[in-house]
Amino acid sequence: MLNFFRTKNFKDFHDNYLFWIKTFFLTLVIFGLIISLFISPADYLQGDTVRIMYVHVPASWLALQIFAVMSICGFITLILKTRVFTLIAKSIAPIGFTFSLISLFTGSIWGQPTWGTFWTWDARLTSMLVLVIFYIFYIVIWTVIPKFNLAEKLSSIVSLIGLANLPIIKFSVEWWNTLHQPATIKLTENSTIHPTMLTPLLIMFIAFVIFSIIVFLIRFKYESLNLKINSKK
């Protein structure tokens, strides 16, 4: 896998398959939006407001998962000094940051008719805001620090510190009495969400994952070329 990222095989994959990945993404996201907005039923309590979750939930999942990947890459970078993991983390950070903003924004839209307010210092919302701040710290480090080695080390440390916030986000609805509803999709137990809602939700999640892969391929190629150019100066 590491050799794949280091050689021209990655460039060939990027150039030859990116168009088809984009096409698959557009097809899947259009299909997912049709099911989410027009075919899936309205909730018996929330009505059509529940359709916000088809964007909110996948964005939230990916915001957490991407930061977890960044933390793993940061740990490997600090221990093994393998630069390819730095480029991977640096490439996906803006993607996770965008999804974390989408999560907060769509959550606020959902919160107004459900809770009567766009924002409350609920444990889940507050911990998600902290995640956004960690994303900002990570990206700002690469923006304001010109020395690659120093930025690499500091960004890796930030990603590891921010990792502690992920279980707080995940279990906040169980540890504290929060306004945010408990998890309805569980890996170890039966999910409480109906299949007519679960299906479009998973389709939208897969579509968002593919979108993340597209942006990652573009950004990783750019970061790799940029590192080679700077190393020759």
Side-chain angles (χ1 to χ4, degrees):
M1 177 180 176
L2 294 182
N3 289 334
F4 171 78
F5 282 113
R6 287 175 178 147
T7 64
K8 72 180 186 66
N9 292 335
F10 172 78
K11 183 178 182 301
D12 294 339
F13 180 86
H14 175 281
D15 296 340
N16 296 331
Y17 295 102
L18 187 60
F19 170 78
W20 298 108
I21 298 176
K22 290 179 180 179
T23 303
F24 181 58
F25 161 70
L26 287 175
T27 303
L28 191 63
V29 75
I30 292 172
F31 177 64
L33 287 173
I34 291 174
I35 296 180
S36 301
L37 299 178
F38 303 107
I39 298 178
S40 66
D43 185 72
Y44 76 103
L45 286 177
Q46 301 178 43
D48 286 325
T49 305
V50 75
R51 302 186 192 280
I52 298 175
M53 80 169 179
Y54 298 123
V55 172
H56 173 74
V57 174
S60 302
W61 286 348
L62 279 169
L64 271 66
Q65 291 167 6
I66 289 175
F67 198 91
V69 173
M70 290 167 52
S71 301
I72 294 172
C73 289
F75 177 77
I76 296 175
T77 297
L78 291 174
I79 300 301
L80 302 180
K81 310 299 182 182
T82 308
R83 183 142 291 172
V84 65
F85 287 100
T86 299
L87 298 180
I88 291 174
K90 187 180 178 183
S91 299
I92 63 176
I95 306 172
F97 174 62
T98 302
F99 280 128
S100 65
L101 290 181
I102 293 174
S103 173
L104 283 182
F105 180 72
T106 54
S108 296
I109 296 176
W110 177 82
Q112 174 58 32
T114 306
W115 300 336
T117 180
F118 286 107
W119 180 263
T120 179
W121 293 101
D122 177 88
R124 171 61 65 85
L125 275 69
T126 303
S127 56
M128 196 67 191
L129 178 61
V130 172
L131 179 63
V132 172
I133 294 173
F134 272 108
Y135 269 119
I136 293 174
F137 281 159
Y138 186 94
I139 295 172
V140 167
I141 286 173
W142 283 107
T143 303
V144 302
I145 298 179
K147 294 184 178 180
F148 188 93
N149 291 338
L150 179 58
E152 180 181 49
K153 183 177 181 179
L154 291 178
S155 62
S156 298
I157 293 174
V158 166
S159 66
L160 288 176
I161 296 175
L163 182 64
N165 185 50
L166 300 189
I168 297 177
I169 297 174
K170 170 64 178 176
F171 297 108
S172 58
V173 293
E174 300 176 14
W175 292 344
W176 295 286
N177 183 22
T178 68
L179 291 174
H180 196 284
Q181 67 186 59
T184 55
I185 301 176
K186 303 177 181 179
L187 297 178
T188 57
E189 304 176 23
N190 292 330
S191 299
T192 58
I193 184 173
H194 195 271
T196 57
M197 294 182 175
L198 179 61
T199 300
L201 183 62
L202 293 179
I203 292 174
M204 291 299 295
F205 173 69
I206 295 173
F208 280 22
V209 170
I210 296 173
F211 174 78
S212 300
I213 293 173
I214 292 172
V215 179
F216 165 72
L217 291 174
I218 297 172
R219 285 191 50 80
F220 186 85
K221 181 180 179 181
Y222 166 79
E223 294 293 347
S224 300
L225 293 174
N226 189 49
L227 180 61
K228 290 180 180 179
I229 293 173
N230 291 333
S231 62
K232 293 178 180 179
K233 292 181 179 180

